Amino acid sequence: MEEAHPTTTANDEGRLKALRERVLSGFPEDDGAELVELLRSVFAGESFSVSDLRRVGQPVVYVSDGFLALTGFRREEALGRDLGFLMRDDTDQEEVRVVRDAVRDGRAATALVRCYRRDGSLFWNEQRHYPIKDSRDRVGHLVVVQRDVSDLVHARSANEVARQLASSLGGDGAFFSYGAILDAAGNARISWTHDGVASVLGRSPAEVQGKDLADLISPEDRDAVRERLRALRSEGGSRRDRYRMLAEGGRVRWVEDFAAVSWRSTEADLVAVHGVVRDVTAERLRRLEIGDVDALTGLPSERVLDDRLDQAVRQSRRYGGVAGLVLLELDNFDFVHRTLNPRRGERFMREATRRLQRALRRSDTLALVRPGCFGVVLPDLNDTGAVVPVVEKLLAWVARPFQDGTLRVELAASAGVAVAPADGRRTEVLRERAESALQRARAAGGSRFAFADAELGKAAEERLTLEHDLRRAFAEDQLVLHYQPRVHLRDGRECGVEALVRWRHPERGLLLPGEFLPGLYRARLGDALFEWVLENAVAQASAWSERGTRRRVSVNVGPGLLERTDFAQVVQTTLERWHLHPGLLELELRSEFELRDDAGVQALDRGRDQLGAVRRLGVGVALDDFGAVATSFTQLRRLPVDALKIDRSFVARVGDSAERGDVELVRAMVTIGHGLGLTVVAEGIETPKQRERVCSMAVTEGQGYLFSHAVPSELVGISPTATE
Ligand code: MG
């Protein structure tokens, strides 16, 4: 980094020697012209000025062409003025004073000062002052040779350098770069900085420029920093240090300062330093919090893992959900470690760490349990199944081949999983169970994972498979609608059909809703299912209509659907698309979902508008599975529904061996329905006795195996009374 700049060349030396001799021998008074002639030959091509120090105001009496080129001033503008016209208030007066004192004593001196060109632009001016004595040994004239060293002071494309430095230092925190001039006394005057300084210190560049770096440093660290700057000044090169800076309002920020010498003036005895300061306060706090950090991987220790696991378990207890602990061990780490050189082993550990970090969420904790074995805490998971994709991802990422020089190594890993609360709530228990699961996975041949509780793991995997299969079911058209007729109990005539979804599973055969709906809702496919069923049911009703059969079709509305603000809109556009009369569609509201708890009731309140809009279209609404869950009568009264379907579990109890209480209960439900002016439908009628009983209660419509199973669309109306 260090670039010692030769400010005086051998040739220079020769000319200066000649000048010195000439000057020492003294000039005759008022012999300015001869002096200038001499200087022009000595400093040919350079930027220099000559001032007459004997006259009031010490006017400039000569400027070279180089001076005019450097400053942009015209000769007549420069002559007759004090050379200070190049400077402004921000020029370091102390520096100027030191130089003037030297000159008065007849000594040559060099200064680095901020100067301004005629157009107002700033440049760093390295001024070499040569006092010229006359024959009476008085300093009569002053020659000042000027050089623009801005580039050197700022370092070329400083921002580019800053960016590169900052990225090589890592981290994404706030940073700023700066330039400073180090003098012999150990002061570091900040010569420039940029807006980034505000993000670290909360001060503007103007507030910081010109200040001694030490003034911005916390008193505890000031001496140490001064010491390191002195070392940097004398030894050159670069240094990286951490210390505390004082931000606006006295706040303390921990920073990492990477400083390098960018330029050195031997004559002026000044060193310019270019530094990048990065805010590491947050990082430091994290480290203090997490304690020991593994030097190789930068990962926290086991203690931290336990701590985070404990936190995650507490959180799951308080807010529900599941906390997962994964122990992941590199299968062939021992082999790699023993057979390859240690440096290679270290590189693999670092690479594995990097991959695992990338595969995890921000809230997850990755720690090193022992060489080759990582621990991962997964807080706040919805359920056990949510661990599976994470572990699969971790194993897959680790398993990608590594290229290390010419060597290609494939790492594999095994993992053991324990979850809270299912496997326990204490960290030791969870650690132990995850460890034994890990050993099982390894014993089974590695490259796999195992759950502490095999049953739990199996269920989680099955659930995940189901969700995966369900998505495929939509994509591959494996879903199908069957229709179960609803009849007038009086004469057995069909009065509509309920569309019921079936899944033609490629391996498991035809599945009923109970086997896959819960998984489907967990996979948040409820909306997609509703739209699919609605579309197909309406299309089917429309097809029946075209063939001359006006048959009303009922579609079940799953949980949460009424919260959709476009619910009524979806229904309307579907009807329009298939030109179906709205009266040929009924929606069955699954009270088991909607009215289960307060949240459900509130959802229903919000959904009432949607339901109202649907009814205004002319679409019927029925309350499904009535009685299966507690329904608030107030809610019931306010619900915009046309029909009430009494849950099959009640109907089942009014058969041959019915108890009086059960019969009365159903009767009461029917009375409520009628009282509210609703059509009452009995679901799940399987025997003639049940039919007789509900008929006696003036229930007008029924549905059940007694009349028909759910059948494919082409069988509807053909076999109206399927056998039992
Ligand atoms: Mg239903």
Side-chain angles (χ1 to χ4, degrees):
M1 288 302 279
E2 186 181 4
E3 187 190 325
H5 189 86
T7 50
T8 50
T9 61
N11 195 17
D12 239 0
E13 287 294 343
R15 287 182 297 167
L16 287 171
K17 191 161 174 262
L19 179 65
R20 209 172 296 121
E21 279 167 11
R22 189 78 181 84
V23 167
L24 282 176
S25 65
F27 268 88
E29 219 164 325
D30 292 328
D31 196 3
E34 194 191 334
L35 174 67
V36 165
E37 271 315 305
L38 175 69
L39 293 171
R40 280 171 69 169
S41 66
V42 172
F43 296 107
E46 284 195 70
S47 160
F48 71 95
S49 62
V50 182
S51 303
D52 188 342
L53 301 189
R54 299 163 306 179
R55 285 162 59 187
V56 177
Q58 308 184 337
V60 172
V61 294
Y62 176 81
V63 288
S64 71
D65 289 345
F67 180 95
L68 301 178
L70 174 67
T71 63
F73 285 98
R74 292 195 296 272
R75 182 162 274 123
E76 59 271 27
E77 290 172 325
L79 295 179
R81 298 169 77 176
D82 184 307
L83 188 60
F85 77 90
L86 289 177
M87 301 170 196
R88 292 187 186 168
D89 292 346
D90 62 357
T91 297
D92 187 11
Q93 296 306 319
E94 179 61 16
E95 185 107 1
V96 173
R97 192 184 58 76
V98 168
V99 170
R100 293 213 159 152
D101 286 352
V103 168
R104 198 185 310 116
D105 297 343
R107 288 180 285 117
T110 305
L112 184 69
V113 287
R114 290 159 72 93
C115 288
Y116 291 85
R117 298 187 185 85
R118 185 169 190 271
D119 64 8
S121 59
L122 166 79
F123 69 102
W124 283 92
N125 194 353
E126 184 196 50
Q127 296 184 330
R128 285 174 277 157
H129 293 243
Y130 299 108
I132 312 290
K133 290 181 179 172
D134 58 20
S135 48
R136 287 182 290 170
D137 204 30
R138 287 187 316 177
V139 177
H141 288 83
L142 174 67
V143 182
V144 180
V145 180
Q146 335 243 356
R147 190 161 75 106
D148 179 2
V149 292
S150 305
D151 277 356
L152 295 167
V153 172
H154 287 202
R156 254 172 258 276
S157 53
N159 280 331
E160 183 55 31
V161 175
R163 252 198 305 280
Q164 281 174 7
L165 276 173
S167 73
S168 75
L169 296 174
D172 50 3
F175 76 93
F176 67 91
S177 51
Y178 70 89
I181 308 293
L182 309 185
D183 65 19
N187 298 313
R189 191 161 40 85
I190 295 174
S191 55
W192 62 271
T193 183
H194 57 92
D195 290 344
V197 72
S199 66
V200 179
L201 298 180
R203 302 166 193 261
S204 69
E207 287 175 85
V208 172
Q209 267 159 20
K211 276 208 159 68
D212 191 318
L213 185 63
D215 292 343
L216 299 170
I217 293 171
S218 185
E220 304 95 299
D221 295 336
R222 221 167 261 166
D223 289 343
V225 174
R226 248 191 240 283
E227 190 51 49
R228 99 190 164 84
L229 288 173
R230 264 196 287 273
L232 186 64
R233 201 183 122 85
S234 59
E235 291 157 22
S238 63
R239 297 184 70 87
R240 188 190 294 208
D241 290 276
R242 284 189 177 223
Y243 54 85
R244 283 160 283 190
M245 290 191 95
L246 296 173
E248 178 61 31
R251 283 179 307 119
V252 169
R253 307 303 297 169
W254 273 97
V255 299
E256 184 175 75
D257 182 358
F258 182 90
V261 168
S262 62
W263 168 76
R264 177 186 297 277
S265 164
T266 16
E267 256 184 277
D269 200 14
L270 294 174
V271 168
V273 166
H274 183 186
V276 176
V277 167
R278 194 165 63 94
D279 191 337
V280 295
T281 312
E283 198 178 293
R284 199 182 155 84
L285 279 176
R286 259 198 314 275
R287 295 216 171 186
L288 287 176
E289 221 172 83
I290 60 183
D292 307 336
V293 170
D294 177 56
L296 175 62
T297 57
L299 290 178
S301 67
E302 250 181 310
R303 189 174 66 76
V304 175
L305 187 78
D306 288 347
D307 191 47
R308 291 295 159 88
L309 181 59
D310 190 48
Q311 274 177 32
V313 172
R314 280 169 207 272
Q315 192 185 346
S316 80
R317 182 180 287 178
R318 206 170 305 141
Y319 304 109
V322 164
L325 169 67
V326 180
L327 292 181
L328 185 146
E329 187 148 34
L330 300 177
D331 289 339
N332 39 6
F333 179 74
D334 276 350
F335 168 79
V336 169
H337 208 65
R338 272 185 286 113
T339 14
L340 305 172
N341 69 46
R343 274 177 179 265
R344 218 155 219 167
E346 286 176 4
R347 279 200 290 276
F348 290 147
M349 272 305 283
R350 271 201 289 266
E351 175 66 12
T353 303
R354 199 180 59 81
R355 292 179 179 197
L356 293 173
Q357 276 166 334
R358 284 178 61 190
L360 291 170
R361 301 172 299 174
R362 237 172 221 284
S363 54
D364 301 334
T365 301
L366 179 66
L368 192 69
V369 173
R370 56 179 175 268
C373 184
F374 300 88
V376 182
V377 174
L378 306 168
D380 194 25
L381 299 170
N382 284 334
D383 49 45
T384 306
V387 181
V388 179
V390 179
V391 181
E392 282 178 340
K393 190 168 160 195
L394 293 174
L395 295 183
W397 279 56
V398 171
R400 289 183 195 171
F402 270 88
Q403 194 72 37
D404 186 54
T406 53
L407 184 72
R408 187 181 148 101
V409 171
E410 296 197 11
L411 283 184
S414 299
V417 181
V419 292
D423 293 321
R425 290 187 191 275
R426 281 170 43 215
T427 48
E428 316 87 87
V429 174
L430 291 166
R431 281 285 297 272
E432 213 176 283
R433 304 207 65 181
E435 186 69 50
S436 76
L438 170 64
Q439 296 318 322
R440 247 188 301 124
R442 285 171 70 90
S447 290
R448 68 193 66 205
F449 65 93
F451 273 83
D453 182 333
E455 283 305 309
L456 200 66
K458 203 166 144 239
E461 272 182 88
E462 272 173 12
R463 216 212 73 196
L464 206 77
T465 312
L466 176 71
E467 289 182 9
H468 172 261
D469 287 356
L470 267 167
R471 287 176 202 281
R472 215 179 54 192
F474 275 101
E476 295 179 2
D477 237 1
Q478 295 169 1
L479 298 179
V480 65
L481 286 182
H482 282 185
Y483 298 89
Q484 184 173 38
R486 189 201 290 182
V487 303
H488 294 287
L489 290 175
R490 189 169 21 91
D491 53 14
R493 271 188 310 116
E494 178 203 306
C495 57
V497 291
E498 179 177 356
L500 295 163
V501 67
R502 302 286 184 263
W503 180 8
R504 279 195 297 241
H505 194 282
E507 285 119 42
R508 296 162 66 191
L510 196 69
L511 301 182
L512 297 174
E515 296 174 83
F516 64 89
L517 279 190
L520 182 138
Y521 289 123
R522 266 202 310 267
R524 301 183 196 283
L525 292 170
D527 278 22
L529 178 73
F530 172 72
E531 286 184 26
W532 184 89
V533 172
L534 183 69
E535 180 76 13
N536 285 275
V538 167
Q540 183 59 59
S542 171
W544 279 323
S545 260
E546 273 176 25
R547 276 183 252 141
T549 310
R550 288 169 57 82
R551 177 177 283 134
R552 189 180 62 182
V553 62
S554 300
V555 169
N556 290 291
V557 177
L561 277 160
L562 285 179
E563 301 213 38
R564 282 179 65 162
T565 50
D566 64 345
F567 180 78
Q569 187 61 45
V570 168
V571 172
Q572 187 179 356
T573 52
T574 308
L575 287 169
E576 284 167 2
R577 191 159 48 246
W578 294 101
H579 308 291
L580 186 72
H581 189 282
L584 293 181
L585 176 67
E586 183 187 58
L587 298 175
E588 295 190 7
L589 208 57
R590 302 291 299 270
S591 58
E592 63 183 302
F593 294 120
E594 302 296 346
L595 298 177
R596 191 190 297 279
D597 49 27
D598 281 352
V601 170
Q602 281 159 12
L604 200 58
D605 274 338
R606 286 194 295 276
R608 190 179 291 119
D609 293 346
Q610 294 295 323
L611 222 47
V614 165
R615 278 186 91 212
R616 279 194 295 279
L617 293 173
V619 173
V621 176
L623 188 64
D624 211 358
D625 310 318
F626 181 62
V629 291
T631 305
S632 134
F633 288 113
T634 318
Q635 285 294 329
L636 184 62
R637 193 169 55 79
R638 289 165 58 202
L639 269 178
V641 298
D642 309 281
L644 204 68
K645 295 183 82 175
I646 294 175
D647 190 68
R648 61 180 63 245
S649 60
F650 293 93
V651 176
R653 281 183 278 174
V654 297
D656 291 327
S657 56
E659 288 178 17
R660 189 179 157 74
D662 289 331
V663 177
E664 290 313 312
L665 186 59
V666 174
R667 195 188 306 281
M669 292 162 76
V670 174
T671 308
I672 290 165
H674 285 158
L676 292 169
L678 307 176
T679 301
V680 177
V681 184
E683 284 185 313
I685 299 177
E686 296 179 0
T687 68
K689 186 69 185 177
Q690 290 167 342
R691 173 187 175 171
E692 190 194 312
R693 281 259 163 79
V694 294
C695 269
S696 75
M697 298 169 193
V699 172
T700 50
E701 296 181 8
Q703 197 176 331
Y705 295 164
L706 181 63
F707 313 109
S708 175
H709 287 271
V711 295
S713 62
E714 56 273 20
L715 296 181
V716 175
I718 295 174
S719 53
T721 47
T723 52
E724 292 305 301

